Amino acid sequence: SNSTVTICNNQLPYTWNGLSLTAAGNYSVTLVNAAGCDSVVNLTLHVNPVTYSQTVSSVCSADLPYVWNGQSYNTAGNHMITLTNQYGCDSIATLQLTINQTPTAPTVIPAISYCQFAVAAQLTANGNHNLIWYTTNTGGTGSTQAPTPATHTPGMQQFYVSQHTGFCESERVAITVTINPKP
């Protein structure tokens, strides 16, 4: 008789007719049948691989939960899941997750007023990390240089500041500058 068997490599050794097989290949065994005659049995053994993968990821605490392979994670460390690969064998995926602390927003004076044409001072904020200044509450390009409001036109100006640790950025905090018309 001839037979073909396909297994995954984590199922080795494969036991067949008293043999312990440790690799793919063609095997034969001669047995004695019920009539006392030789009976040749052939096996073609296919061994498919178990696959392994590793993902290394760093996220900011403000971006949690981190979703990976359909699962949500809120803790740093190594996380492992077993999936099925293209051969029907285990696919063992490991996530090495680093969580970086998102800094708190800087402290600011949220509202500042100037008279039209007055000399304005550069805006300030208090924080423990690098300050980044913006003219929009989302998007845009930030600057490490604090802006100085223009006072030649009456109205309101909006500025935003955040803290940046090199990897994570805090929320932006608004500073409203009002330029009052000269009487």
Side-chain angles (χ1 to χ4, degrees):
S1 71
N2 295 312
S3 60
T4 301
V5 173
T6 302
I7 62 170
C8 299
N9 64 357
N10 63 338
Q11 295 172 305
L12 291 173
Y14 180 74
T15 303
W16 175 72
N17 287 315
L19 298 176
S20 181
L21 308 175
T22 59
N26 295 312
Y27 299 93
S28 289
V29 122
T30 302
L31 305 170
V32 177
N33 66 17
C37 299
D38 286 346
S39 175
V40 178
V41 180
N42 297 308
L43 171 69
T44 300
L45 181 63
H46 298 284
V47 179
N48 288 328
V50 170
T51 53
Y52 298 88
S53 67
Q54 181 167 357
T55 301
V56 177
S57 189
S58 292
V59 297
C60 297
S61 58
D63 296 330
L64 293 175
Y66 181 76
V67 178
W68 176 72
N69 281 320
Q71 296 188 13
S72 296
Y73 297 92
N74 287 302
T75 58
N78 290 325
H79 304 279
M80 186 177 77
I81 60 171
T82 302
L83 306 167
T84 302
N85 67 18
Q86 64 189 5
Y87 306 109
C89 297
D90 288 345
S91 173
I92 300 170
T94 303
L95 168 65
Q96 183 180 350
L97 183 61
T98 301
I99 299 173
N100 298 293
Q101 187 62 40
T102 301
T104 59
T107 305
V108 299
I109 298 171
I112 301 170
S113 293
Y114 287 104
C115 288
Q116 186 178 11
F117 303 115
V119 175
Q122 192 174 39
L123 296 178
T124 61
N126 293 319
N128 298 326
H129 304 283
N130 298 323
L131 297 175
I132 308 293
W133 295 89
Y134 296 91
T135 56
T136 60
N137 64 345
T138 60
T141 302
S143 171
T144 56
Q145 182 70 35
T148 301
T151 62
H152 58 278
T153 305
M156 290 178 46
Q157 301 172 35
Q158 202 74 31
F159 298 93
Y160 301 88
V161 62
S162 67
Q163 292 192 75
H164 198 279
T165 62
F167 189 81
C168 298
E169 185 174 359
S170 73
E171 288 182 49
R172 295 180 189 181
V173 178
I175 300 173
T176 302
V177 177
T178 303
I179 307 301
N180 296 310
K182 188 169 183 138

